[in-house]
């Protein structure tokens, strides 16, 4: 579903897209394919993944079905030889590369103590090093193009300490991609290569978000990012470089006034999850300032106990432990798995499927439906150990609680 008309400006151009077998990378590839572009699908997935859709070969078929030409290449962006081999194959098949889209990325939303070095290295090697490597190796070919662009799917460099405090390793890895934009846009000006960054304003319904939250109702479709990328990649690279763009701003500037059709659930278009690295929205700032008066949590669990029904237990099938910090510090439990269900103070009698840790100020807001678990998690206000999908089932329970409150 695209609101941006194809102009044919990318016809015959060759795009090298990392991580193009699914999600945003594939959406950008398909949008360019409608112009009749050539696309190098540079991604790791050659065999179908049990949980994630799409391979480089299925993506290539979709590109060609839309009128583009595709070259599927098995590429792990951490491997210099694989990247160079894919570039060499692109030159053989398409005689060059005009556009590089650095989309491949790894994520782990963990604090310092809980980030193992293997995961740290993965994020930095894919996000920062992979972006630098692909840009470096494509540079000689981009210099030969009369429409050369590098587009990194990375955020504006927001130096608010908040974004470093909640997942410093991931923030550094994503900001490394953005620093490539900052440096290379200036460095490559003499070659007329436009180097820009694009970042979504809201959560995007990719396989990663679906696995994380089990819900896409607060997300937009990948098409909003691919439409914005298309607008950016059609611009004159001599004049358009060094920009850190947000998808909806690009589209509004292009004349698209109503972004509702991009929402996965159009009825929820005004209640979308704001993406990482953008300023914390006012409503969440207000949630942090809420009254710190004591005694909210015992009252809350008294209310929760009245909402537990055999039907809710049957639907949820999960045991939750809540480690509450701050003014009302303590441990609480909610068993929606065994017998008729139970809740109260202390650890659960049966092993917890998910352990949730958060400040008491945010806890009441979460159970009042003012702060969604997925939002709280992405904003660093909620830490989850155990089964992520079961933790996100709390949202349905909260809707029931809010209705009865």
């Amino acid at each position: 579903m695209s609101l941006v008309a194809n102009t044919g400006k990318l016809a015959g151009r060759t795009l090298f897209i990392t991580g193009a077998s699914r999600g945003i990378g594939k959406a950008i590839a398909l949008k360019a394919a409608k112009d009749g572009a050539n696309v190098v699908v540079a991604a790791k997935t050659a065999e179908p993944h049990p949980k994630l859709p799409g391979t480089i070969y299925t993506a290539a078929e979709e590109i060609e079905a839309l009128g583009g030409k595709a070259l599927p290449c098995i590429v792990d962006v951490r491997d210099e030889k694989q990247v160079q081999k894919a570039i060499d194959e692109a030159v053989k098949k398409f005689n060059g590369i005009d556009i590089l889209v650095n989309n491949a990325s790894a994520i782990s939303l963990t604090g310092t103590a809980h980030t193992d070095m293997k995961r740290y290295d993965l994020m930095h090697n894919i996000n920062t090093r992979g972006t630098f490597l692909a840009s470096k190796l494509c540079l000689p070919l981009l210099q030969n193009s009369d429409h050369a662009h590098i587009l990194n799917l990375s955020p504006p460099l927001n130096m608010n300490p908040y974004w470093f405090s909640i997942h410093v390793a991931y923030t550094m890895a994503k900001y490394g991609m953005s620093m490539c934009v900052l440096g290379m846009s200036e460095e490559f000006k003499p070659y007329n290569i436009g180097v820009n960054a694009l970042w979504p304003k809201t959560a995007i319904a990719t396989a990663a978000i679906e696995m994380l939250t089990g819900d896409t109702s607060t997300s937009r479709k990948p098409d909003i990012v691919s439409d914005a990328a298309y607008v950016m990649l059609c611009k004159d690279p001599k004049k358009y470089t060094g920009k850190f763009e947000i998808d909806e701003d690009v589209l509004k500037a292009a004349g698209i006034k109503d972004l509702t059709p991009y929402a996965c659930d159009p009825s929820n278009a005004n209640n979308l999850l704001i993406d990482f690295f953008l300023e914390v929205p006012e409503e969440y700032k207000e949630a942090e300032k809420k009254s710190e008066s004591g005694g909210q949590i015992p009252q809350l669990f008294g209310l929760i106990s009245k909402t537990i029904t055999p039907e809710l237990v049957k639907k949820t099938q999960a045991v939750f432990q809540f480690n509450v910090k701050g003014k009302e510090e303590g441990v609480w439990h909610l068993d929606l798995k065994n017998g008729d269900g139970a809740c109260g103070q202390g650890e659960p009698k049966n092993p917890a499927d998910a352990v949730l840790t958060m400040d008491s100020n945010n806890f009441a807001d979460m159970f009042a439906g003012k702060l969604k678990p997925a939002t709280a998690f992405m904003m660093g206000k909620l830490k989850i150990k155990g089964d992520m999908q079961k933790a996100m089932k709390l949202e349905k329970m909260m809707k029931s609680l809010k209705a009865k409150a």
Side-chain angles (χ1 to χ4, degrees):
M1 203 281 323
S2 170
L3 300 185
V4 172
N6 277 72
T7 60
K9 282 188 181 174
L10 301 184
R13 298 291 180 190
T14 300
L15 290 80
F16 189 103
I17 306 178
T18 66
S21 61
R22 62 176 70 96
I24 289 168
K26 188 178 86 169
I28 294 172
L30 297 180
K31 183 67 180 168
K34 289 175 189 170
D35 264 9
N38 309 317
V39 182
V40 182
V41 182
K44 284 196 302 179
T45 311
E47 298 291 326
H49 188 283
K51 289 185 180 176
L52 300 170
T55 68
I56 56 173
Y57 305 112
T58 58
E61 283 170 18
E62 288 182 60
I63 289 162
E64 300 208 327
L66 289 172
K69 289 180 183 170
L71 174 64
C73 295
I74 298 170
V75 175
D76 181 338
V77 293
R78 296 172 291 177
D79 187 323
E80 189 170 349
K81 285 179 183 171
Q82 284 186 25
V83 178
Q84 187 62 61
K85 187 183 176 199
I87 290 169
D88 293 343
E89 286 178 20
V91 173
K92 266 186 212 166
K93 183 161 183 174
F94 301 129
N95 300 315
I97 292 171
D98 300 288
I99 293 166
L100 167 64
V101 179
N102 286 305
N103 166 69
S105 193
I107 182 170
S108 180
L109 303 176
T110 44
T112 302
H114 296 106
T115 305
D116 61 67
M117 293 316 292
K118 188 178 176 185
R119 178 62 58 174
Y120 176 98
D121 290 341
L122 179 76
M123 288 192 286
H124 283 258
N125 286 336
I126 290 176
N127 302 3
T128 304
R129 186 181 183 275
T131 294
F132 183 91
L133 173 64
S135 304
K136 171 186 162 69
L137 296 183
C138 284
L139 180 59
L141 299 163
L142 295 171
Q143 285 175 273
N144 292 332
S145 170
D146 62 358
H147 191 79
H149 280 275
I150 296 175
L151 180 64
N152 293 354
L153 274 296
S154 67
L157 288 162
N158 183 346
M159 290 294 126
N160 187 324
Y162 175 78
W163 293 112
F164 292 85
S165 68
I166 55 176
H167 39 58
V168 65
Y170 175 62
T171 300
M172 287 194 293
K174 285 308 285 187
Y175 279 17
M177 295 175 74
S178 300
M179 286 192 284
C180 284
V181 170
L182 196 64
M184 291 176 188
S185 60
E186 201 64 28
E187 183 187 356
F188 299 167
K189 266 183 187 171
Y191 311 128
N192 296 321
I193 301 170
V195 186
N196 299 290
L198 174 61
W199 194 244
K201 177 72 180 276
T202 69
I204 300 296
T206 59
I209 281 284
E210 235 171 309
M211 281 174 71
L212 182 69
T213 67
D215 176 32
T216 57
S217 65
T218 54
S219 302
R220 283 174 172 159
K221 299 164 189 168
D223 301 334
I224 189 168
V225 187
S226 58
D227 277 2
Y230 180 80
V231 170
M232 293 173 74
L233 296 173
C234 286
K235 289 183 185 283
D236 181 353
K238 298 182 194 70
K239 298 173 185 172
Y240 184 71
T241 191
K243 307 285 186 190
F244 289 87
E245 301 280 28
I246 303 299
D247 57 358
E248 68 172 46
D249 296 342
V250 172
L251 296 176
K252 283 176 182 174
I256 293 169
K257 290 171 185 167
D258 182 13
L259 302 174
T260 306
Y262 289 118
C264 292
D265 177 358
S267 67
N268 206 29
N270 295 321
N271 188 30
L272 299 172
L273 193 57
I274 300 299
D275 207 355
F276 304 108
F277 309 116
L278 305 176
E279 280 303 330
V280 178
E282 286 303 319
E283 58 265 32
Y284 303 133
K285 288 179 184 174
E286 287 303 314
E288 288 181 332
K289 293 176 191 170
K290 287 253 189 289
S291 153
E292 292 185 11
S293 58
Q296 287 185 90
I297 291 177
Q299 288 173 29
L300 189 61
F301 273 91
L303 189 58
I304 291 169
S305 68
K306 293 173 188 171
T307 70
I308 298 173
T309 62
E311 187 190 11
L312 189 63
V313 173
K314 192 177 174 184
K315 273 186 186 174
T316 312
Q317 284 298 291
V319 178
F320 306 101
Q321 178 176 321
F322 304 95
N323 295 340
V324 181
K325 304 293 182 187
K327 196 166 183 180
E328 290 189 70
E329 187 160 344
V331 177
W332 296 78
H333 67 270
L334 174 58
D335 186 337
L336 295 175
K337 189 178 193 176
N338 301 287
D340 295 328
C343 74
Q345 198 155 13
E347 292 187 9
K349 289 178 184 173
N350 297 291
D353 293 295
V355 178
L356 297 89
T357 303
M358 70 189 309
D359 187 88
S360 57
N361 291 342
N362 297 322
F363 190 86
D365 282 335
M366 192 171 82
F367 273 89
K370 293 173 189 171
L371 183 64
K372 293 190 172 188
T375 305
F377 178 72
M378 287 180 78
M379 304 305 286
K381 294 176 180 177
L382 168 64
K383 291 187 167 53
I384 299 171
K385 276 188 181 176
D387 191 320
M388 188 75 67
Q389 285 182 316
K390 284 193 175 176
M392 292 306 166
K393 279 189 175 183
L394 276 171
E395 210 149 297
K396 287 178 186 170
M397 199 276 294
M398 286 169 203
K399 282 179 185 170
S400 159
L401 177 68
K402 195 178 178 187
K404 293 184 183 185

